[in-house]
Amino acid sequence: MSITLEKFTKSDNKLLKKLYISAFPIEERCPYFIMMNREKRGKSEMLVARDKGEFIGFAYMVCDQKLAYLFYLAVDDSKRGQGYGTKIIEAVKKKYNGMRIFLAREQLDKSAENYAQRVSRRNFYIRCGFEDLPCCIKEGSVVYDVMGIGGIVTAEEYHKLIKPWAGFLLKIVDMRIIEKQVKE
């Protein structure tokens, strides 16, 4: 297994979009065309994960000089359970070495239908070196727990990072760090 993270090409677009739509519920998805527009304008990075040239998945990143927000991570259905997620995280950590890396993940709500999957996902990120941070991220109608490597992310830092990416969306979509809401 030899994972590389490469900037996406137009030939990846169909696979990326299909995986994105299948991997994330609609309430957690930014419109795909907006994501790709931001990538094209240099406000994010769509990184395709490959193993010996074969499409494995992707990491969608929003970064500034200090922070790297792992906005989306997905592994192709046929490749799950083979260690590729861990390898993609390792490649992200290497690429953004020296930066604080953070992500938003579903809260551990025991009443959620996919509670076991949420616990499994949290444990996966812990095995990859992430820690729970004492805050949440609200994006649209969804509140996420935050995990990170390298220290906390303040509300001000998040706003400074996300504002150039979101632009006009901030007028219609609530995107901010909020105080931790415990649902465990």
Side-chain angles (χ1 to χ4, degrees):
M1 186 181 308
S2 176
I3 292 290
T4 59
L5 284 181
E6 307 165 2
K7 184 173 171 63
F8 90 102
T9 64
K10 285 188 178 185
S11 64
D12 297 315
N13 199 49
K14 192 173 183 179
L15 286 171
L16 285 170
K17 187 173 184 179
K18 181 180 176 189
L19 177 55
Y20 177 64
I21 289 169
S22 70
F24 300 97
I26 193 164
E27 65 273 8
E28 295 181 13
R29 290 194 311 249
C30 172
Y32 186 76
F33 77 92
I34 290 176
M35 287 175 39
M36 299 314 281
N37 172 273
R38 298 309 189 263
E39 204 284 338
K40 184 177 179 181
R41 293 174 44 208
K43 303 210 180 278
S44 63
E45 292 182 280
M46 175 59 88
L47 302 170
V48 174
R50 300 185 198 284
D51 184 2
K52 297 178 185 138
E54 182 181 3
F55 178 82
I56 300 301
F58 71 86
Y60 184 81
M61 306 294 300
V62 177
C63 305
D64 65 12
Q65 293 80 23
K66 298 177 186 177
L67 296 173
Y69 181 13
L70 178 54
F71 211 123
Y72 293 105
L73 169 71
V75 175
D76 186 83
D77 290 342
S78 67
K79 306 295 182 202
R80 290 188 186 148
Q82 300 176 40
Y84 284 114
T86 300
K87 292 295 185 187
I88 294 170
I89 294 285
E90 288 172 1
V92 165
K93 287 165 54 175
K94 184 176 179 181
K95 180 173 176 60
Y96 300 101
N97 186 33
M99 298 173 75
R100 284 176 287 150
I101 303 170
F102 72 103
L103 58 88
R105 64 155 177 79
E106 294 169 304
Q107 292 187 308
L108 297 180
D109 180 353
K110 289 183 178 176
S111 66
E113 284 183 25
N114 68 340
Y115 177 71
Q117 184 183 49
R118 291 177 183 210
V119 170
S120 177
R121 194 171 289 130
R122 177 180 177 266
N123 291 340
F124 163 75
Y125 287 121
I126 288 171
R127 286 191 307 274
C128 289
F130 286 82
E131 299 176 320
D132 289 316
L133 298 183
C135 59
C136 296
I137 289 179
K138 184 173 190 328
E139 292 178 346
S141 64
V142 183
V143 176
Y144 301 94
D145 284 339
V146 181
M147 298 184 80
I149 296 172
I152 65 166
V153 178
T154 67
E156 182 181 329
E157 288 174 317
Y158 174 80
H159 183 75
K160 185 179 172 190
L161 172 74
I162 210 67
K163 186 177 179 184
W165 179 86
F168 76 91
L169 288 175
L170 284 178
K171 295 179 192 250
I172 56 174
V173 178
D174 188 7
M175 298 179 77
R176 61 190 161 102
I177 283 190
I178 59 175
E179 190 173 313
K180 183 89 172 166
Q181 297 177 353
V182 178
K183 288 190 176 187
E184 298 174 36

